[in-house]
Structures are given as C-alpha cells and as structure tokens.
Amino acid sequence: MTSDNEYLDQVRRAMIGMARPVRDDIVRELRGHIAESAAANGGNLEASLAAIGPPREIGRHYREIYGYGKAYKTVFAAIAFLLAVPSVPVLVIGAETVFPFNLSIVFVVAAASWILWVGVAAGTQAGILTGLAGLVGRITAFGAVALRESGAITSTGGLVLLVAVSILFLVLGWIPGTAKKAWSAPRAEL
C-alpha cells in the first residue's frame, strides 16, 4: 500500500527542474484532491491514487504544462552558448594555430543536437531561449575574433553561412516544441 506522501514524493521527483513554488502548489493541490477523492470513495486511498494515475506520468505532465524553472533554462542556454562558440569555423589563425574546420562542424552538430533536445524536452520557450543563446554565442565569437584580428579576411559567403547557421539554431529551438504541440492536438473525426 502506497501512502499519499510516498506518491506525492514521486510526483515531486518527476517534476525536477520546475520552479519550486510551482511544484509546491501542484503538490498541495494534488494532496487536497487525493484527500477529497479518498473521502468520496469511503477512505480507499489506493483507489484514489490509481484514479489519478502513475506519479511519474503526472509529474512529467505538469512539467510539460508549466515548463522548467529559470535556473534550468539558464543552464540550458549557457551550454548552448558554450557549444556555439567553437562552432565558428575559423576562430584563430596564426603562425602556429588554426582552428580546424572539421572540428567546428562537430561543435555545430553538438550545439544543434543540444538545442533540439531542449526544444523537445523543455518546450518551445526554453528551446527558443537556447537557440538564441547559440546564435549569440556564434556572433559573439566571430565578433571577438574580428575585433582582435584587424587584418582578418572575411568573405560574403562565409558571413552568409555564419548568419544562416546562427539563425538555424534559433529555428531549431522553436520547431520541436511547436511540432509537439501540433502533433499532440486532438484529431478531428471524419
């Protein structure tokens, strides 16, 4: 037999990443709902908990509705920024150092994968924020090198590619959450 406290602890663990006040409100609401449901069915706590559903699914459902808290979104964005900086193909060219083009592709793929994952797991808002951080990371890295290396040569094609990939990061953050919403909408009956 599972107590309501054990059940609610499992729900709380499934809501990891959400803002604490939101989690506390949800747990408080669920506790009241469980008490009302148990009282209505003759004190059968097991039936009340079974009617609500598995605690992990309930927690994940609330996390999908309310999203991650600011701290998690900030971490997601910081990781995207850090992955995006070395994704600029040539950051340092000197007598001894060249940042290899192939290595920058690895970072583009890593940053894009991270942004996609955040968009799917944390929703559109977090995905867009993370994509924006990736965009800013690329532009910042390019700007820092352009300012430091006054004699650097840039081509129009290279700048277009830099901007296009940077904007793609933003789009990658937006698409998964939007698609998830569209695909999970109720389908019309024919």
Side-chain angles (χ1 to χ4, degrees):
M1 177 176 190
T2 303
S3 75
D4 59 340
N5 287 332
E6 290 172 25
Y7 181 89
L8 292 172
D9 285 343
Q10 290 177 24
V11 171
R12 184 183 300 278
R13 281 192 299 276
M15 292 188 295
I16 283 280
M18 292 175 58
R20 182 175 296 279
V22 174
R23 280 189 318 197
D24 292 345
D25 285 346
I26 291 168
V27 169
R28 207 173 7 264
E29 282 287 323
L30 280 173
R31 187 179 304 283
H33 181 69
I34 292 167
E36 288 174 12
S37 177
N41 66 22
N44 188 345
L45 181 62
E46 286 294 321
S48 297
L49 296 177
I52 293 173
R56 288 186 181 157
E57 284 182 29
I58 298 301
R60 284 189 205 125
H61 175 73
Y62 278 115
R63 193 173 61 212
E64 283 181 15
I65 292 172
Y66 293 103
Y68 283 85
K70 288 180 184 177
Y72 272 75
K73 289 178 185 174
T74 301
V75 169
F76 294 156
I79 291 170
F81 182 89
L82 293 173
L83 286 171
V85 168
S87 74
V88 176
V90 179
L91 285 179
V92 180
I93 295 180
E96 298 88 26
T97 61
V98 172
F99 189 79
F101 179 73
N102 292 338
L103 188 56
S104 70
I105 292 172
V106 170
F107 281 100
V108 166
V109 170
S113 299
W114 175 254
I115 292 165
L116 277 171
W117 178 83
V118 170
V120 170
T124 304
Q125 186 182 26
I128 290 172
L129 177 67
T130 304
L132 183 62
L135 181 148
V136 169
R138 285 179 59 82
I139 301 300
T140 301
F142 179 78
V145 170
L147 287 174
R148 197 180 88 214
E149 301 292 331
S150 59
I153 301 170
T154 58
S155 68
T156 305
L159 289 175
V160 168
L161 187 60
L162 173 80
V163 171
V165 171
S166 300
I167 291 172
L168 179 66
F169 281 178
L170 187 60
V171 172
L172 286 175
W174 171 73
I175 288 174
T178 305
K180 188 175 177 182
K181 240 184 243 183
W183 293 335
S184 64
R187 297 181 185 260
E189 296 285 328
L190 296 178

